[in-house]
Amino acid sequence: MSSILPSKVMVVYRTRRCNGQPSDMVPAIYKKVVTLEESGWTGAGNGVQGFDGTKVLHDTVIALFDVGGTPPTNQAALDALAVQLAADHYNWLSVSFDEAFPEIIAPVVDGLTDLIVFSYQIDQVSTRRLSAPYNAQPEEFCHHDLANSSCKDNLTATPTPIITQKDPGTFEHYGPLATSSSGNLILPVFLSKLQGGLLVQKYSRTDTLACGCTCNWTFVVRDSCSGALLPGSRVSVSQGGIEIAHCTTIGQIASVTRGATGSNFTSVPTVTIAGSGSGATAIADMQLGSLARTSGGSGYNNGTFTGTFTGGGPGSGATFTFTVSGGVVQPPLAIVTQGSGYTSLPTPDFSAAGPGSGAAATVRLNVRALVLMESGTGYLSAIVGITGGGGTGATGTATVAARCTLDVPSGTYDVTVTPPEDLGYTAYSGSLSHACGQTTTIAIDVDNDHICTGTCGYGCRILPKTAYLTWTTDDGFDQVDFMGNPIFRVKYPSATLTVGPPFPQYGNNPAYYSEPFDLDVGPATPNGPHQHLTARYVISCLGPYVNWIYQNDDGSWSDRTNYAGGPGTSTSPGNVTCSPFRVVGGIGDSVSIGVPGRDWAYTRWTYSG
């Protein structure tokens, strides 16, 4: 028997990767070698050694590998199957028979029987049963392991179309798992070839293919003068003169940020977002804020320990350290990590110090972060409030953006932004590139009829370059209207005076002035005295106003506020008591022109923004 039985049987299995990335490799095959003795063949103990050789068998069951792991996760099942196949092989080889019976019988059919022959002749019938000839045993077997269903990798799937033939018998092709990034398709490339009768596949590289997939492109539109948001702006993207998509910006809450953490919270406070819009919501994420021992208990092991917390809703991650002396937990308790997600007060756990009991502490929470839940609409500004929960002192801020989002493929587009009408802005147009998920901020400039004023500490403003002083008749006298508001009554009208550009800017003063013009301020009676005044129109961040000025000896012009004594005193020329018509304090300020005790026309103008 030793001359026909090999000393070893090797069973070879294909492999499969069950996790990781396409570029992660696992062994191409898994093989199990079983000796004659290990097979459990019954004749192995009768001095049969077998010749020095190895019989190779293949099975369709798959060896399952985790990336970086050896051996396969289903090794036990594979090895047991290999032992069974080896034992069956030795049994097949060790049994040989050729039996003939002079009659028709029903022979026993088993795995060792290869052929049964029934013969019918005129004077004789017979039955013959034969074993398989030597080396006629099968070498390919088909089994299945149920564990294969939990392996999620799909590398054994049918390959997608061939890219190139690298050399005879080796092909390069796309395979799983495909992913996407920035609107492109990321495809793994594999090499496959026949090796030892098996199709062997290995990872080669990844290719990036533009797939034209649509993805988000968010636009934020702002005023280039002040940085103010511009809701109601229409954003259009086009290619080749054809509009692909458009959207209109709305004021939304872009993010919320925690300021001060606050203190002494026993539950989650309420977060409110107030402003010109509606619908924005946020919640507070709570963490451990303070921990104070109230009882030291007794019976604990001495030393320094790390404690944890139980309860507190879904919160987790908070830890603290404490010291035990004389079996008693000593103050203070030191917070190590504050955790997150707590909705109620957790309970400190002192069990790390052994079997003691009675230790307790007071726990309080504070705000770890604010989480935006809904962005809302219609916001130009917003104020964050944090109330309730038993604590105080927590603050937060909100960032507002006038934005809208389009769903278009990545690429280069002609972008046009049309701001709301009658606000003093010009449309934007330009060529912009889009990558998936990006946010593009566009600043809208003022048009030719407006000026972006300086800050003056009040914030930049966009104001019209041209104002009109309209002179109208009232009871034989004329009244000056400025920007639609009555200013004072005048004598000797000259129809409509237009004060317009250009406006020079003087020095570092963030204001623009018109050239000086003259006004005659008249009395209440036709024959009464009148006062000649010189003024100029001013555009500044405080708003537009009329500035009364006088001419110096050197030909320069100065504010009346520079006169000795200042506003409200007797000034030259004439005995005119004049508070210069200039808005200094902002909205709500008012000034008047008149002479006390005289019958002058008297009017009052209030700056209303």
Side-chain angles (χ1 to χ4, degrees):
M1 294 294 291
S2 295
S3 62
I4 63 172
L5 299 180
S7 61
K8 301 173 184 175
V9 173
M10 180 172 66
V11 182
V12 179
Y13 304 97
R14 295 176 298 160
T15 63
R16 184 178 182 187
R17 176 175 53 80
C18 295
N19 59 11
Q21 300 299 318
S23 57
D24 296 327
M25 305 302 294
V26 297
I29 62 172
Y30 173 69
K31 57 187 179 182
K32 172 64 177 176
V33 177
V34 181
T35 65
L36 184 64
E37 291 77 12
E38 291 170 344
S39 71
W41 178 62
T42 55
N46 298 325
V48 178
Q49 300 297 319
F51 66 87
D52 186 16
T54 301
K55 177 65 175 179
V56 178
L57 305 177
H58 295 90
D59 199 290
T60 59
V61 72
I62 299 174
L64 307 177
F65 279 87
D66 287 334
V67 172
T70 56
T73 57
N74 59 340
Q75 181 187 19
L78 297 175
D79 292 351
L81 178 60
V83 170
Q84 182 62 55
L85 291 175
D88 291 344
H89 181 72
Y90 287 125
N91 284 329
W92 284 329
L93 292 179
S94 65
V95 177
S96 178
F97 55 83
D98 185 354
E99 300 174 326
F101 302 90
E103 56 185 338
I104 301 300
I105 65 172
V108 175
V109 179
D110 54 26
L112 301 177
T113 301
D114 182 66
L115 179 66
I116 298 175
V117 179
F118 297 98
S119 297
Y120 294 88
Q121 299 179 9
I122 295 177
D123 57 350
Q124 182 181 356
V125 294
S126 63
T127 301
R128 186 180 179 188
R129 185 170 73 99
L130 297 89
S131 61
Y134 180 70
N135 272 346
Q137 291 75 23
E139 296 180 346
E140 299 282 346
F141 299 90
C142 183
H143 292 88
H144 175 69
D145 185 0
L146 293 178
N148 189 54
S149 62
S150 61
C151 181
K152 301 302 182 183
D153 183 72
N154 295 317
L155 291 183
T156 57
T158 302
T160 49
I162 291 173
I163 304 173
T164 58
Q165 181 172 345
K166 305 297 289 184
D167 51 60
T170 301
F171 296 93
E172 189 179 60
H173 60 86
Y174 294 129
L177 300 168
T179 57
S180 63
S181 175
S182 299
N184 298 318
L185 191 63
I186 311 300
L187 289 175
V189 178
F190 294 88
L191 293 175
S192 292
K193 66 178 180 179
L194 286 174
Q195 179 177 310
L198 295 175
L199 181 64
V200 177
Q201 177 176 270
K202 68 177 182 179
Y203 171 81
S204 175
R205 66 177 191 279
T206 57
D207 282 353
T208 300
L209 305 179
C211 66
C213 305
T214 60
C215 53
N216 288 343
W217 190 2
T218 298
F219 290 89
V220 176
V221 180
R222 289 186 175 275
D223 160 11
S224 65
C225 173
S226 65
L229 302 171
L230 285 181
S233 299
R234 186 183 190 274
V235 180
S236 170
V237 297
S238 60
Q239 287 179 329
I242 300 175
E243 184 178 77
I244 306 299
H246 71 270
C247 62
T248 301
T249 59
I250 58 175
Q252 291 185 311
I253 305 299
S255 63
V256 288
T257 304
R258 187 215 69 194
T261 62
S263 60
N264 293 322
F265 289 96
T266 57
S267 61
V268 180
T270 299
V271 180
T272 58
I273 301 176
S276 55
S278 62
T281 60
I283 60 174
D285 180 16
M286 306 301 288
Q287 64 185 4
L288 199 70
S290 62
L291 183 65
R293 195 207 71 167
T294 56
S295 173
S298 61
Y300 294 99
N301 297 327
N302 293 335
T304 300
F305 306 91
T306 297
T308 58
F309 293 84
T310 60
S316 63
T319 60
F320 68 102
T321 58
F322 63 98
T323 300
V324 178
S325 177
V328 177
V329 174
Q330 303 295 320
L333 309 180
I335 297 175
V336 178
T337 56
Q338 294 177 278
S340 62
Y342 291 98
T343 57
S344 59
L345 296 178
T347 302
D349 183 0
F350 297 90
S351 60
S357 63
T362 298
V363 177
R364 290 295 182 265
L365 306 175
N366 62 26
V367 178
R368 188 186 74 87
L370 300 181
V371 181
L372 182 65
M373 305 302 291
E374 298 290 341
S375 296
T377 59
Y379 289 92
L380 294 179
S381 61
I383 298 175
V384 175
I386 303 175
T387 59
T392 58
T395 61
T397 58
T399 300
V400 182
R403 62 186 180 184
C404 65
T405 300
L406 297 176
D407 192 27
V408 294
S410 58
T412 301
Y413 293 88
D414 296 322
V415 177
T416 301
V417 179
T418 305
E421 295 182 357
D422 303 326
L423 295 182
Y425 299 100
T426 184
Y428 166 90
S429 62
S431 178
L432 299 176
S433 295
H434 162 45
C436 281
Q438 81 177 48
T439 297
T440 299
T441 299
I442 295 178
I444 301 296
D445 294 329
V446 298
D447 61 25
N448 291 330
D449 296 326
H450 292 77
I451 287 178
C452 176
T453 65
T455 60
C456 298
Y458 292 89
C460 295
R461 297 185 61 191
I462 292 178
L463 299 171
K465 289 181 178 179
T466 303
Y468 299 93
L469 296 177
T470 304
W471 302 32
T472 58
T473 300
D474 180 15
D475 297 332
F477 292 89
D478 297 330
Q479 178 174 291
V480 173
D481 290 340
F482 173 64
M483 301 293 286
N485 295 299
I487 303 177
F488 46 81
R489 302 179 75 182
V490 298
K491 191 67 175 174
Y492 311 116
S494 58
T496 299
L497 172 64
T498 300
V499 182
F503 291 103
Q505 185 173 11
Y506 291 90
N508 295 323
N509 189 345
Y512 298 82
Y513 297 87
S514 73
E515 293 302 318
F517 55 88
D518 294 332
L519 291 175
D520 283 323
V521 180
T525 60
N527 297 321
H530 67 273
Q531 174 65 47
H532 179 81
L533 296 176
T534 301
R536 59 186 174 185
Y537 175 63
V538 183
I539 301 176
S540 81
C541 59
L542 297 175
Y545 57 86
V546 173
N547 176 215
W548 307 111
I549 61 176
Y550 69 95
Q551 194 165 24
N552 302 307
D553 292 338
D554 61 2
S556 63
W557 295 91
S558 298
D559 272 344
R560 270 202 182 275
T561 51
N562 293 332
Y563 271 164
T569 62
S570 177
T571 58
S572 177
N575 294 317
V576 178
T577 301
C578 175
S579 296
F581 189 85
R582 181 173 185 177
V583 179
V584 177
I587 295 175
D589 278 8
S590 62
V591 296
S592 61
I593 296 175
V595 178
R598 290 195 178 186
D599 191 16
W600 286 82
Y602 184 91
T603 186
R604 190 175 182 85
W605 184 87
T606 301
Y607 174 50
S608 58

